[in-house]
Amino acid sequence: MTTNDSTTILNTKLRDSNSKIIFDEPILCAQFLRDYIEDIPLLKNVRPEDIVDVSEQYVHLFSEERNSDRVKKVHIKNGTPFFLVSLIEYKTKVEYNVTMQIFRYMIYIWEAYEREEEKQKKGISKQKGFQYPPILPIVYYEGRQEWTVPLDFKSRIIEGDTFAKYVPDFRYYLVPLRKYSDRELLDREDEISLIMLINKLQEMNDISSFRSLPKEQLDAILKDTPDHIVDIIADMLLAFLLKSNVSANEAEKVVGKVKEKNMGQLFADMEPIDIQAEQAKIRIQKKEIDTERQEIQTQRQEIQTQRQEIQTERQEIQTERQEIQTQQQEIQTERQEIQTERQEIQTQQQEIQIERQKLDAQKRELELMRQEILAEKEALITIRNQ
């Protein structure tokens, strides 16, 4: 990382990757499940050691843009111990197909569970008492726009109410960050809520609101926090600052307050940030990049079109060559046929010449015979006259 004051760093993916880090940390994940899943009493006593990350089993389901989605196996110790699968979907913008995404995940998770149980005991899934673990689908939403997506699955099905008895019946649990005020988050007095406070920093007003929070209460949250979680919080804040084009040097100074566990003085010495202006710059940069991508795509399409035209021309030339070759073969065949006919005619002419010669010989023989006959006649006449 460059620490020069004039250097700014822009990384639009840091926030997404940091959300993955948050839910991968058992302490923070346990706090999230305890604090923000309000209608599942069984989660009120969940501990970090009760949570096992099993996301790798389903990594093939996650596309690159949703690589922060996490799957947790949560062991519940209440009467008969069992485990709950917590599926956490991270969203920064409204996505209307989220229920179908979640439904696919749920099916894959249950199928994977069935396969594992079958490995342990063949045929167990066909027994009467076999049951699948419950899955709690959670959507953690950080966007500023209101989340307008229905929570139930049947809303995504045509005539969902009419066919309600025949459509999978489930709802996902929505945790919209903007629902919580800064005071509500601060009053929870734990690290996950402090991180959510940092995630809310998207406008200048958000920083002003953060500065107005009681310093003692902010400092108290990190009093006994393990260093590795402090580092996670520092990384989250650093991601926000760098994304906002704060100089690396100034960002490091602000993050240093976190590592000193001095959250009350977090933005005390920092120049005001016009986050909206920076976000507008980022949007312009993104638009320029998108325009360049479109131009490149257009050029690629033109090149592809030219290639196709050249290929078509080559095929036409090849076709013409084949036609010419066919014609040449036909001409050669005709020439051979003519040559054969000529040879046949020449043979016939020779045969006729031979026949003519034979006829001439026969004519000469006949002429000789006539002369002999005439001579004999004259001889007879002379004899008679004597």
Side-chain angles (χ1 to χ4, degrees):
M1 179 184 299
T2 305
T3 57
N4 189 300
D5 282 336
S6 63
T7 303
T8 57
I9 300 174
L10 178 63
N11 188 338
T12 58
K13 293 186 177 180
L14 282 171
R15 198 175 194 116
D16 292 353
S17 59
N18 277 331
S19 294
K20 175 180 177 180
I21 294 172
I22 290 172
F23 293 119
D24 279 347
E25 166 51 50
I27 293 176
L28 298 176
C29 189
Q31 291 177 357
F32 180 77
L33 294 176
R34 287 199 305 264
D35 290 357
Y36 296 96
I37 310 303
E38 299 171 356
D39 61 353
I40 307 291
L42 292 173
L43 294 176
K44 293 305 177 184
N45 297 317
V46 68
R47 303 168 302 173
E49 57 267 30
D50 297 330
I51 300 174
V52 178
D53 188 273
V54 292
S55 302
E56 289 298 322
Q57 296 181 27
Y58 311 99
V59 67
H60 60 286
L61 301 178
F62 303 138
S63 56
E64 183 177 353
E65 64 272 16
R66 297 207 310 273
N67 64 0
S68 57
D69 297 343
R70 315 309 294 154
V71 182
K72 305 290 182 179
K73 182 184 288 187
V74 183
H75 293 273
I76 305 295
K77 298 178 177 62
N78 182 44
T80 302
F82 68 97
F83 69 85
L84 162 79
V85 177
S86 175
L87 172 61
I88 303 175
E89 281 258 334
Y90 169 73
K91 301 294 182 186
T92 57
K93 60 182 180 180
V94 177
E95 293 186 21
Y96 284 94
N97 208 30
V98 65
T99 50
M100 184 57 72
Q101 293 171 6
I102 289 174
F103 182 57
R104 293 192 191 102
Y105 288 173
M106 294 170 73
I107 294 298
Y108 274 110
I109 290 169
W110 278 321
E111 286 180 341
Y113 174 79
E114 179 184 313
R115 286 194 298 270
E116 289 299 318
E117 293 298 304
E118 284 287 330
K119 287 180 182 178
Q120 300 296 324
K121 186 177 180 181
K122 186 70 173 176
I124 189 172
S125 63
K126 297 179 175 62
Q127 296 180 6
K128 181 179 180 180
F130 180 79
Q131 290 183 306
Y132 295 86
I135 297 176
L136 174 62
I138 303 169
V139 174
Y140 174 55
Y141 173 58
E142 288 188 357
R144 296 193 64 81
Q145 293 182 342
E146 181 183 356
W147 184 265
T148 54
V149 184
L151 302 181
D152 60 318
F153 181 75
K154 69 178 181 180
S155 64
R156 202 63 178 168
I157 305 299
I158 297 174
E159 293 290 344
D161 290 329
T162 304
F163 294 92
K165 292 192 299 182
Y166 312 104
V167 174
D169 184 17
F170 76 90
R171 296 164 62 91
Y172 60 90
Y173 192 95
L174 178 66
V175 181
L177 178 59
R178 305 307 294 183
K179 164 188 173 182
Y180 302 96
S181 68
D182 290 353
R183 287 296 321 188
E184 286 176 313
L185 294 172
L186 183 62
D187 289 343
R188 294 177 188 264
E189 298 182 344
D190 57 16
E191 291 84 356
I192 188 66
S193 299
L194 183 59
I195 288 174
M196 292 172 73
L197 270 171
I198 293 173
N199 281 344
K200 283 186 66 179
L201 299 175
Q202 296 186 24
E203 295 181 352
M204 193 60 206
N205 290 337
D206 296 330
I207 293 181
S208 300
S209 178
F210 190 97
R211 281 174 168 166
S212 67
L213 294 173
K215 296 178 175 56
E216 298 80 7
Q217 198 171 353
L218 281 169
D219 291 339
I221 294 176
L222 295 183
K223 182 179 179 181
D224 300 316
T225 300
D227 289 342
H228 74 281
I229 294 184
V230 174
D231 290 339
I232 290 174
I233 296 173
D235 289 342
M236 289 291 299
L237 181 60
L238 182 63
F240 160 70
L241 295 173
L242 296 182
K243 186 176 180 180
S244 301
N245 279 359
V246 176
S247 69
N249 193 20
E250 188 170 7
E252 290 288 356
K253 289 180 181 178
V254 175
V255 170
K257 300 289 186 182
V258 178
K259 295 184 177 180
E260 295 169 3
K261 299 185 177 182
N262 189 7
M263 292 296 297
Q265 296 295 320
L266 192 60
F267 299 110
D269 303 323
M270 192 180 78
E271 293 291 331
I273 308 172
D274 190 348
I275 297 174
Q276 289 181 326
E278 295 298 336
Q279 289 179 337
K281 290 180 182 178
I282 293 171
R283 285 194 294 270
I284 291 172
Q285 291 175 353
K286 287 182 176 179
K287 188 174 181 179
E288 291 174 350
I289 291 172
D290 289 340
T291 300
E292 289 180 2
R293 284 177 176 169
Q294 289 176 353
E295 291 176 353
I296 291 172
Q297 182 66 22
T298 300
Q299 291 175 357
R300 284 177 176 171
Q301 290 175 348
E302 290 175 352
I303 291 171
Q304 183 65 22
T305 300
Q306 291 174 358
R307 284 177 177 170
Q308 291 175 348
E309 291 175 352
I310 291 171
Q311 183 66 22
T312 300
E313 289 177 359
R314 284 177 177 172
Q315 290 175 349
E316 291 175 352
I317 291 171
Q318 182 66 22
T319 301
E320 289 178 0
R321 284 177 177 171
Q322 290 175 349
E323 291 176 353
I324 291 170
Q325 188 174 2
T326 300
Q327 290 174 358
Q328 287 176 341
Q329 289 175 349
E330 291 175 351
I331 292 171
Q332 182 66 22
T333 302
E334 288 178 0
R335 283 177 178 171
Q336 290 174 351
E337 291 175 352
I338 291 170
Q339 183 66 23
T340 301
E341 289 179 356
R342 282 177 178 172
Q343 289 175 351
E344 291 176 351
I345 290 170
Q346 188 173 1
T347 300
Q348 290 175 359
Q349 286 175 342
Q350 290 174 352
E351 290 175 350
I352 291 170
Q353 183 66 25
I354 292 169
E355 288 181 358
R356 282 177 178 170
Q357 290 174 352
K358 288 179 179 180
L359 287 174
D360 289 341
Q362 289 175 356
K363 285 179 179 179
R364 286 194 296 270
E365 289 177 358
L366 288 173
E367 184 62 29
L368 289 174
M369 289 175 68
R370 283 184 190 144
Q371 290 175 0
E372 288 176 355
I373 290 171
L374 286 173
E376 287 179 357
K377 283 182 177 180
E378 289 178 355
L380 288 173
I381 291 171
T382 300
I383 294 170
R384 284 179 183 172
N385 292 329
Q386 290 178 354

